[in-house]
Amino acid sequence: MDLNILWFILISVLFIGFFFLEGFDYGVGILLPFMGKNDTERRIVINTIGPVWDGNEVWLITAGGAIFAAFPNWYATLFSGFYLALFFILVALIVRGVAFEFRSSDRSPRWRSAWDGGIFVGSLLSAILWGVAVTNILRGVPINGEMQYVGTFFDLLSPYTLLGGVTTLLLFTVHGALYLTLKTEGEMVRRAWGIAKAVSVAALVVLVLLAAMTYFQTDLFLSTPATLGILVCALAMILTVLFTYKKAAGKAFIASSLTIASLVLSVFLGLFPRVMVSSLNPEWSLNIYSASSSPYTLKIMTIVALTLVPIVLAYQIWTYWVFRKRVTAKDVHY
């Protein structure tokens, strides 16, 4: 295995970790107005992710930094072509992050309601836009022979990519609802189960429809590993629905996690060795060699990653262990 392949794998793992962790994070934000019937309940919902939401986003920052350093041409083409879409994601994440910090700085109901809306909208837009972005990368975008994006923002919008956005929205919502069954008590748990049951069935139907459209819109199913990944994803989603209806919280959350992880893994398996597909000419697609940094850069990055990544992982695992208990009304501080 050369360093180009190693860094493709590492970036894949970073995005899998990001979507797994930030998936329930977004889901909780989306469910905030539906789970919280009063200010105390909304505070409980926010507190379930309060200690971890910013740490979850570190996975995205790290993945972006890894792409910039290991595959600069991928970074340049991606961020120039997806500039407006990524700008919207960034604005949504900023509004969401600011809302978490500012919400409790004033007791005014109007003030708190406005920031709650910011959390909801920021989570909703992020969940949809990530699905649109990922399906565009898989389907292919107009990239010329100079590795330049030559399309417009509206070239990124199609029935297939919008369906991708709906799919991630529903998957993250289910993921968030199941997370809340593990982190809340009483009536809020019953509320979360009701949402999880309804949305999980819808997510399964949309996921199957997305898989069918992916077969016709992309070449993902030409890859045997990617095809197996999609089958695992479908099976995991079926198990998510079954465990949800049995109210087996732990098993349902694990199945939901596997659904998201296998879906993201399938995307990277279907792309390999490409990193961005050109819809104009397959030979113009960026791959792990044409888009990479020098071997010396990859070598230095590997040394740094092997040193620092275990420390970051240990810290995040410790954070989840410390805040592993359910959140109740007595934990809310005004």
Side-chain angles (χ1 to χ4, degrees):
M1 180 187 299
D2 57 32
L3 292 180
N4 300 68
I5 297 176
L6 175 62
W7 275 97
F8 181 84
I9 293 173
L10 289 176
I11 291 171
S12 303
V13 170
L14 287 171
F15 274 108
I16 291 171
F18 170 71
F19 284 114
F20 156 58
L21 294 171
E22 197 72 351
F24 67 73
D25 206 325
Y26 289 149
V28 169
I30 292 167
L31 293 175
L32 178 60
F34 307 102
M35 284 291 299
K37 300 302 182 182
N38 54 56
D39 188 67
T40 299
E41 289 186 345
R42 287 190 288 274
R43 184 70 254 183
I44 290 173
V45 171
I46 293 172
N47 282 6
T48 63
I49 57 173
V52 298
W53 70 268
D54 48 356
N56 293 344
E57 291 186 354
V58 169
W59 289 75
L60 174 62
I61 296 170
T62 306
I67 293 174
F68 173 78
F71 303 103
N73 290 324
W74 179 12
Y75 182 91
T77 305
L78 177 66
F79 277 75
S80 60
F82 288 45
Y83 184 86
L84 194 55
L86 293 174
F87 173 77
F88 288 143
I89 291 177
L90 182 61
V91 170
L93 292 177
I94 291 174
V95 170
R96 186 171 176 270
V98 171
F100 281 127
E101 300 297 333
F102 279 22
R103 182 191 186 276
S104 296
S105 62
D106 193 303
R107 293 195 175 191
S108 166
R110 182 174 297 179
W111 171 272
R112 294 189 172 186
S113 178
W115 289 118
D116 287 344
I119 294 172
F120 168 73
V121 173
S123 301
L124 181 74
L125 288 179
S126 297
I128 294 173
L129 290 173
W130 278 120
V132 172
V134 171
T135 45
N136 266 295
I137 292 174
L138 188 61
R139 182 193 62 168
V141 292
I143 300 172
N144 65 18
E146 285 72 47
M147 302 185 188
Q148 295 177 343
Y149 179 82
V150 292
T152 67
F153 171 75
F154 294 102
D155 289 323
L156 302 177
L157 303 178
S158 69
Y160 174 63
T161 58
L162 292 175
L163 181 63
V166 174
T167 302
T168 50
L169 171 64
L170 294 176
L171 289 178
F172 292 167
T173 302
V174 173
H175 204 38
L178 293 173
Y179 178 78
L180 288 172
T181 65
L182 296 168
K183 295 292 291 183
T184 58
E185 291 184 338
E187 179 60 30
M188 296 190 71
V189 174
R190 288 188 285 274
R191 210 172 291 156
W193 277 124
I195 294 172
K197 288 178 180 179
V199 181
S200 62
V201 174
L204 175 59
V205 173
V206 172
L207 185 63
V208 171
L209 181 58
L210 179 68
M213 289 192 69
T214 298
Y215 180 83
F216 294 103
Q217 294 277 332
T218 76
D219 60 2
L220 181 141
F221 284 94
L222 296 179
S223 166
T224 301
T227 302
L228 292 175
I230 292 296
L231 292 176
V232 171
C233 177
L235 177 59
M237 191 63 230
I238 293 172
L239 290 175
T240 300
V241 175
L242 294 177
F243 288 139
T244 297
Y245 273 81
K246 291 182 178 181
K247 293 188 176 182
K251 292 179 179 179
F253 183 75
I254 291 172
S256 175
S257 302
L258 181 59
T259 301
I260 294 172
S262 57
L263 180 61
V264 179
L265 177 61
S266 299
V267 170
F268 280 96
L269 289 173
L271 282 173
F272 183 80
R274 302 163 300 177
V275 292
M276 289 195 74
V277 178
S278 172
S279 60
L280 302 179
N281 187 336
E283 294 182 359
W284 293 343
S285 298
L286 279 66
N287 60 52
I288 59 174
Y289 298 104
S290 64
S292 74
S293 294
S294 67
Y296 181 73
T297 300
L298 295 178
K299 181 180 179 180
I300 296 299
M301 286 177 58
T302 303
I303 295 172
V304 173
L306 291 177
T307 304
L308 297 180
V309 169
I311 298 174
V312 175
L313 285 175
Y315 173 76
Q316 189 154 32
I317 292 171
W318 175 78
T319 302
Y320 274 95
W321 175 256
V322 170
F323 295 101
R324 65 189 182 279
K325 295 183 180 179
R326 293 179 183 269
V327 180
T328 63
K330 67 180 181 180
D331 299 313
V332 175
H333 303 287
Y334 292 94

